[in-house]
Amino acid sequence: MIWAILAVLGVPIWLVVAGLGVALLRSWSQFKKRPGVFMAKIRLRLGSFEGISEKWTPMPIAALWVHDVLLVHKVLPLVRTIPLPVAEAVGTVQEANPSERKRLGEQPALLTFRLDNGAELELATPGDSSSVALGPFHRPDPESNEGDSRNRN
C-alpha cells in the first residue's frame, strides 16, 4: 500500500530503496563508534535463542556489553540488535580454529558463555579484543599488573 502511495506521488522506488540503505548503514556505523564495542562472530553451541543460529555468523557483528547483557548488532539479513542475557563465562579463552578465523585478523580468540536460559553461546573475536569481549566476566591475571593503576618497581 505504501509503495502505491509513493508511486502516485511520483517518488521513484530506487530513491526509497537508497534511502533505506543509507539509514541501515548509518545505524551500523553509529553502533560501531560507541566505546566498548568489539567485532566478533557468534553461534549457539547448545540450546536455542531467538535470532541466533548454530552456524557462525557469515560476517563479523558488532557487540557491546551492558552490565551482564551482551548486545549483538547484526546487519545481515536485517539490521537488528539482539540482547543476550549472560549468566556466566564457561571455560577459558582459547585460540579459535580456522573456521572461526575468517575476517577476524591474527590469532582470534574463542570464548564461551552460558545464557540465562541455559543455552551456550560461542564468540570468536580478534585476539586483542578478548579481554573486552569477556566483559563483566574478565578477571585480571594475579601475576600481571593489569588493572593496577600504580606503577610498581
Side-chain angles (χ1 to χ4, degrees):
M1 180 66 179
I2 190 80
W3 295 107
I5 294 171
L6 291 172
V8 169
L9 294 174
V11 177
I13 298 219
W14 65 266
L15 186 60
V16 173
V17 171
L20 287 173
V22 168
L24 294 177
L25 289 175
R26 187 169 183 210
S27 168
W28 169 253
S29 67
Q30 284 179 344
F31 188 89
K32 280 178 41 175
K33 289 179 184 175
R34 293 183 180 188
V37 171
F38 59 95
M39 300 307 290
K41 294 177 85 175
I42 60 170
R43 74 170 180 169
L44 279 177
R45 190 167 84 172
L46 292 172
S48 63
F49 197 90
E50 186 177 343
I52 309 293
S53 76
E54 294 177 353
K55 294 181 179 180
W56 288 103
T57 51
M59 299 287 291
I61 51 94
L64 173 69
W65 282 102
V66 178
H67 300 286
D68 61 348
V69 176
L70 182 63
L71 296 177
V72 173
H73 195 69
K74 295 173 73 173
V75 174
L76 297 174
L78 297 172
V79 173
R80 58 185 169 171
T81 302
I82 302 170
L84 300 168
V86 177
E88 64 181 335
V90 178
T92 60
V93 177
Q94 301 172 359
E95 187 176 329
N97 69 37
S99 67
E100 295 108 25
R101 289 182 186 205
K102 296 177 185 173
R103 299 184 179 111
L104 290 177
E106 296 290 321
Q107 300 176 339
L110 182 65
L111 313 163
T112 304
F113 297 101
R114 184 168 293 117
L115 303 180
D116 285 351
N117 70 353
E120 286 190 7
L121 176 82
E122 283 188 322
L123 185 140
T125 186
D128 57 350
S129 299
S130 63
S131 62
V132 174
L134 276 169
F137 305 102
H138 175 68
R139 302 288 180 250
D141 182 11
E143 297 296 319
S144 73
N145 289 335
E146 186 177 340
D148 190 358
S149 60
R150 295 171 293 182
N151 187 8
R152 296 183 181 174
N153 291 330

